């Protein structure tokens, strides 16, 4: 369906920031193929586009059938690609931090080789993506930035990067900034450890991470698309990721179902059971993630790499849609604290009181609406809370969780 006929899809208007789309999902579902096809589609629609791989196990170059580097390089008209390298990024952005940590570790008797590894701070792989993004946003060089992220678990660490860096700052440098500036030069003179420069660089890193997190949670700039296959374990992980992304304020504007076998395939074939299973899971995905739009990619029947095949994937995936549009902006559920309780609100459009039932099963809430079922994975801390009651007003289901006694 074209975006013009979908009231939830909106164009990305000219602004100070490029349009940012991040693709995530369980490893092996085809995130890289979908991200690369999306980037190519955007580029061929006239938008200067950069596709970045933040996955340490890079496969973006393989998908594009191009040799990529840690710096952006043009691989087609309007299309640039980059595979991030944490050590290259450290050398480019964090020279003083690296020198500081190396000397501190070596001073404590750690071998040079181990110190080199320890100098890569936790989350630095993901942090490097934010630092590059910060540069691109400031330069206003690209219209669209497509991020081919690491598998879901690693992607979710993006959410805690500012807190991680702040933890390092408060524990590794438990003094005020002014004190560091006053004493740092003397420390560097007598010990060779660049305390003041390292701290200031780390402080600047923290500010950039906070700025980029605000940008990534801005629904008028960035959105996330969940990539999955019509398979049970993949869907389960996608549901859980969706819960956490929503809870931390990240906008999810669609789901992409990759490698869908055509219904026209012979039912008596070797894949008959597999095709039937896929059809069942497609219905489950649509029910679980509604009202998010579901975009499907037919199974190519072969390995996908190179611009020609990616172009076909992009056309099948988006049809008349514009890839850089926002396909959905409204939050379908919210979690908030009220006193000692937590309240989970879920929007159930086109539903009336008495047409559904709610029950909790372990780490999820199951909402049965006639012959449809919606599963919401709960944050892990709610394991210590009981689903006390639920109410329904103006299409919103409100569930109250109280502490276990």
């Amino acid at each position: 369906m074209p975006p013009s006929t979908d009231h939830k899809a909106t164009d990305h208007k000219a602004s100070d920031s490029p349009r940012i789309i991040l693709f995530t999902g369980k490893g092996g579902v085809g995130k890289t193929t979908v991200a690369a096809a999306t980037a190519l589609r955007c580029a061929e629609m006239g938008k200067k586009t950069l596709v970045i791989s933040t996955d340490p196990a890079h496969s973006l170059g393989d998908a594009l059938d191009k040799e990529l580097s840690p710096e952006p390089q043009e691989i087609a008209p309007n299309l640039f690609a980059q595979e991030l390298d944490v050590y290259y990024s450290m050398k480019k952005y964090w020279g003083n931090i690296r020198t500081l940590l190396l000397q501190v570790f070596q001073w404590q008797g750690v071998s040079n080789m181990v110190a080199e590894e320890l100098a890569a701070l936790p989350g630095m792989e993901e942090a490097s993506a934010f630092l590059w993004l910060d540069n691109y946003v400031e330069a206003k060089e690209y219209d669209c930035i497509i991020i081919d992220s690491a598998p879901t678990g690693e992607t979710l660490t993006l959410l805690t990067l500012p807190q991680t860096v702040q933890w390092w700052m408060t524990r590794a440098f438990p003094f005020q900034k002014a004190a560091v500036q006053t004493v740092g030069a003397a420390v560097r003179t007598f010990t060779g450890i660049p305390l003041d420069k390292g701290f200031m660089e780390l402080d600047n890193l923290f500010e950039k991470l906070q700025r980029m997190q605000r940008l990534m949670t801005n629904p008028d700039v960035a959105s996330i698309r969940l990539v999955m296959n019509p398979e049970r374990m993949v869907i389960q992980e996608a549901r859980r990721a969706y819960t956490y992304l929503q809870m931390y304020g990240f906008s999810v504007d669609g789901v992409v179902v990759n490698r869908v076998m055509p219904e026209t395939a012979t039912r008596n074939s070797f894949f008959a059971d597999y095709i039937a299973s896929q059809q069942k899971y497609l219905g489950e995905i649509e029910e679980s993630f509604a009202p998010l739009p579901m975009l499907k990619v037919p199974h190519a029947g072969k390995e996908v790499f190179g611009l020609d095949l990616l172009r076909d994937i992009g056309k099948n995936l988006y049809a008349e849609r514009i890839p850089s549009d926002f396909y959905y902006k409204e939050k379908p559920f919210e979690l908030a604290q009220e006193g000692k309780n937590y309240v989970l609100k879920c929007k159930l459009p086109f539903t009336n009181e008495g047409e559904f039932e709610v029950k909790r099963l372990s780490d999820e809430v199951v909402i049965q609406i006639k012959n449809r079922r919606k599963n919401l994975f709960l944050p892990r801390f709610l394991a210590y809370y009981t689903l006390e009651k639920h109410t329904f007003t103006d299409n919103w289901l409100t569930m109250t969780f109280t502490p276990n006694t």
Side-chain angles (χ1 to χ4, degrees):
M1 180 184 296
S4 59
T5 61
D6 184 351
H7 73 284
K8 293 298 183 182
T10 56
D11 293 331
H12 177 54
K13 305 298 183 183
S15 66
D16 292 336
S17 299
R19 172 73 166 101
I20 301 173
I21 307 172
L22 184 147
F23 289 91
T24 189
K26 187 175 174 63
V29 297
K31 298 184 308 296
T32 300
T33 298
V34 172
T38 300
L40 180 59
R41 186 79 169 156
C42 288
E44 293 185 341
M45 286 184 159
K47 297 182 182 292
K48 188 175 181 181
T49 303
L50 171 67
V51 56
I52 306 174
S53 171
T54 65
D55 191 339
H58 295 299
S59 55
L60 180 60
D62 295 330
L64 295 167
D65 201 20
K66 302 285 184 180
E67 188 73 28
L68 300 182
S69 71
E71 294 279 351
Q73 61 189 77
E74 189 170 11
I75 59 173
N78 281 330
L79 181 60
F80 296 76
Q82 177 183 16
E83 289 184 337
L84 297 187
D85 182 297
V86 64
Y87 292 102
Y88 180 87
S89 298
M90 285 175 64
K91 184 177 180 180
K92 185 178 180 75
Y93 291 113
W94 305 324
N96 289 319
I97 296 177
R98 177 180 174 277
T99 301
L100 169 63
L101 293 174
L102 277 175
Q103 293 189 10
V104 168
F105 288 135
Q106 290 168 356
W107 178 67
Q108 292 179 338
V110 178
S111 70
N112 289 346
M113 184 171 65
V114 175
E116 288 279 3
E117 290 295 319
L118 291 175
L121 293 171
M124 200 171 262
E125 192 86 47
E126 293 80 11
S128 66
F130 272 170
L131 290 183
W132 285 96
L133 275 175
D134 186 67
N135 279 357
Y136 299 142
V137 169
E138 288 295 311
K140 302 178 183 177
E141 187 175 355
Y142 300 100
D143 300 313
C144 296
I145 298 177
I146 309 299
I147 303 174
D148 168 33
S149 75
T152 313
E154 287 86 344
T155 299
L156 291 174
T157 62
L158 285 169
L159 306 175
T160 57
L161 278 176
Q163 292 87 346
T164 302
V165 176
Q166 188 177 40
W167 185 93
W168 266 83
M169 289 179 66
T170 56
R171 284 160 178 75
F173 307 103
F175 2 81
Q176 296 296 318
K177 184 185 299 185
V180 173
Q181 291 174 323
T182 302
V183 180
V187 173
R188 179 157 38 96
T189 300
F190 289 103
T191 67
I193 298 177
L195 182 62
D196 53 341
K197 289 186 177 180
F199 180 87
M200 298 307 294
E201 195 168 291
L202 195 59
D203 189 49
N204 185 45
L205 166 64
F206 178 54
E207 291 179 2
K208 286 186 175 184
L209 290 180
Q210 285 188 312
R211 184 164 65 242
M212 288 312 301
Q213 188 176 53
R214 286 194 295 269
L215 189 73
M216 291 295 292
T217 53
N218 182 344
D220 293 322
V221 173
S223 64
I224 295 173
R225 291 179 188 166
L226 295 169
V227 184
M228 64 193 80
N229 304 137
E231 299 172 5
R232 183 176 181 275
M233 291 180 63
V234 175
I235 297 170
Q236 291 288 86
E237 181 163 326
R239 285 172 176 159
R240 183 170 283 108
Y242 183 42
T243 296
Y244 278 92
L245 290 168
Q246 288 282 298
M247 186 174 70
Y248 285 104
F250 284 69
S251 176
V252 180
D253 77 338
V255 298
V256 178
V257 187
N258 191 27
R259 302 184 187 127
V260 178
M261 297 289 286
E263 290 186 71
T264 54
T266 306
R267 294 288 178 178
N268 295 326
S269 71
F270 178 78
F271 293 103
D273 290 343
Y274 183 69
I275 293 169
S277 173
Q278 278 205 345
Q279 291 304 309
K280 182 190 77 170
Y281 286 128
L282 284 172
E284 189 173 313
I285 291 169
E286 193 165 17
E287 292 168 4
S288 294
F289 293 94
L292 294 181
M294 180 175 72
L295 288 70
K296 293 185 284 187
V297 183
H299 200 298
K302 56 186 173 183
E303 189 177 8
V304 177
F305 62 90
L307 298 183
D308 290 339
L309 291 177
L310 290 174
R311 185 175 294 110
D312 292 339
I313 293 288
K315 289 178 180 177
N316 286 326
L317 174 59
Y318 293 104
E320 299 300 319
R321 290 180 183 266
I322 298 173
S324 58
D325 279 357
F326 293 90
Y327 296 150
Y328 195 84
K329 278 190 176 181
E330 188 177 25
K331 275 193 171 186
F333 65 87
E334 301 172 359
L335 180 66
Q337 186 173 6
E338 293 185 0
K340 294 182 179 180
N341 302 332
Y342 281 91
V343 173
L344 177 64
K345 296 182 178 180
C346 175
K347 190 167 188 179
L348 300 178
F350 315 114
T351 306
N352 297 314
E353 182 76 57
E355 291 185 342
F356 62 89
E357 59 178 307
V358 180
K359 58 183 177 181
R360 179 173 182 172
L361 298 176
S362 184
D363 62 346
E364 63 183 310
V365 166
V366 179
I367 306 169
Q368 187 76 36
I369 309 171
K370 297 181 180 178
N371 61 340
R372 296 184 294 116
R373 173 179 291 187
K374 188 176 185 69
N375 299 68
L376 291 179
F377 272 95
L378 301 173
R380 289 187 178 88
F381 69 82
L382 285 183
Y384 300 98
Y385 290 75
T386 300
L387 176 57
E388 184 71 20
K389 64 178 181 178
H390 67 269
T391 58
F392 188 73
T393 307
D394 297 329
N395 289 328
W396 281 90
L397 171 66
T398 301
M399 294 162 279
T400 303
F401 294 82
T402 58
N404 294 338
T405 54

